Amino acid sequence: MIIEEKQVSTERIFQGRVVGLRVDQARIGDGSIRGREVVEHPGGVSVVCLTEHNEVLMVRQFRYAPMEILLELPAGKLEPGEDPFEAMRREQKEETGTTAEAYVDLGVLYPTPAYDTEKIYLWACRVTGFGEQKLDDGELLEVERVPLEQLEAMVLENRIHDAKTQIGILKAAALVRAGAL
């Protein structure tokens, strides 16, 4: 059985400031043609910023799509051609005002691969410098320090709904327990 699909044609339906939408026709493994709707997203970055006391710098912000205030890891959108590591450091500084000397790569995740091209790059660090936030125009968020152990429990109790935050917290907690972070 062949499970790979091949794009036969594509039609751009919408191009916005952040996302685009295209409708493709794809040949699937049995030879038939099926429609595929794809949201195109430039990707993003996120970072688990740990203090010396194993507190994580979290951001609380309103997210329009779910119409909720969410507790999340600092994160942001990649600009075209931007290096993900540099984008993460930029977002860390903008949202938390912090810097670090060393980072641990936590990998890449696809938050919704069934229909979205978004890819999120994750890192973790021990914060070494504290400064002022440099929020983007219209960006409103609050920074909170939350113990890593408490965040891990919140993830397991389904009290944190953001996927990148769940994954980042669980990976960072495992690394801290292993003495690798």
Side-chain angles (χ1 to χ4, degrees):
M1 174 171 66
I2 300 171
I3 62 172
E4 187 175 353
E5 300 183 10
K6 300 285 185 190
Q7 183 187 63
V8 174
S9 66
T10 187
E11 178 185 3
R12 180 158 312 284
I13 303 298
F14 171 78
Q15 184 58 56
R17 189 176 54 80
V18 176
V19 298
L21 174 64
R22 71 176 201 256
V23 176
D24 292 353
Q25 296 299 311
R27 184 173 316 282
I28 66 172
D30 67 4
S32 64
I33 304 291
R34 300 281 192 245
R36 299 291 187 240
E37 297 172 356
V38 180
V39 175
E40 297 175 321
H41 187 284
V45 295
S46 187
V47 60
V48 181
C49 301
L50 282 161
T51 69
E52 63 183 329
H53 303 293
N54 282 342
E55 297 166 313
V56 179
L57 300 178
M58 301 290 289
V59 295
R60 189 174 294 280
Q61 61 186 327
F62 182 80
R63 291 299 195 174
Y64 189 83
M67 299 300 276
E68 291 182 30
I69 296 172
L70 298 180
L71 185 64
E72 303 176 43
L73 293 171
K77 179 178 70 70
L78 280 168
E79 298 300 328
E82 187 175 23
D83 176 72
F85 182 75
E86 294 306 320
M88 175 273 303
R89 290 179 46 162
R90 171 181 49 78
E91 288 295 335
Q92 177 185 353
K93 180 72 173 160
E94 287 176 6
E95 293 190 1
T96 69
T98 64
T99 57
E101 294 175 14
Y103 292 84
V104 175
D105 186 344
L106 298 182
V108 174
L109 71 101
Y110 295 100
T112 48
Y115 60 85
D116 190 345
T117 64
E118 183 177 17
K119 179 191 272 192
I120 299 176
Y121 299 83
L122 294 169
W123 282 271
C125 67
R126 290 284 180 178
V127 173
T128 55
F130 291 87
E132 297 294 318
Q133 287 176 303
K134 294 182 178 156
L135 297 176
D136 291 332
D137 187 40
E139 189 172 29
L140 305 171
L141 56 83
E142 298 172 352
V143 177
E144 297 180 20
R145 291 180 183 217
V146 183
L148 178 59
E149 192 173 280
Q150 179 182 337
L151 287 169
E152 186 178 22
M154 290 171 73
V155 168
L156 296 174
E157 294 164 0
N158 195 34
R159 293 173 42 211
I160 293 181
H161 301 129
D162 177 61
K164 72 180 177 308
T165 300
Q166 291 180 1
I167 292 166
I169 292 302
L170 294 177
K171 285 185 169 187
L175 290 173
V176 167
R177 273 193 298 281
L181 179 62

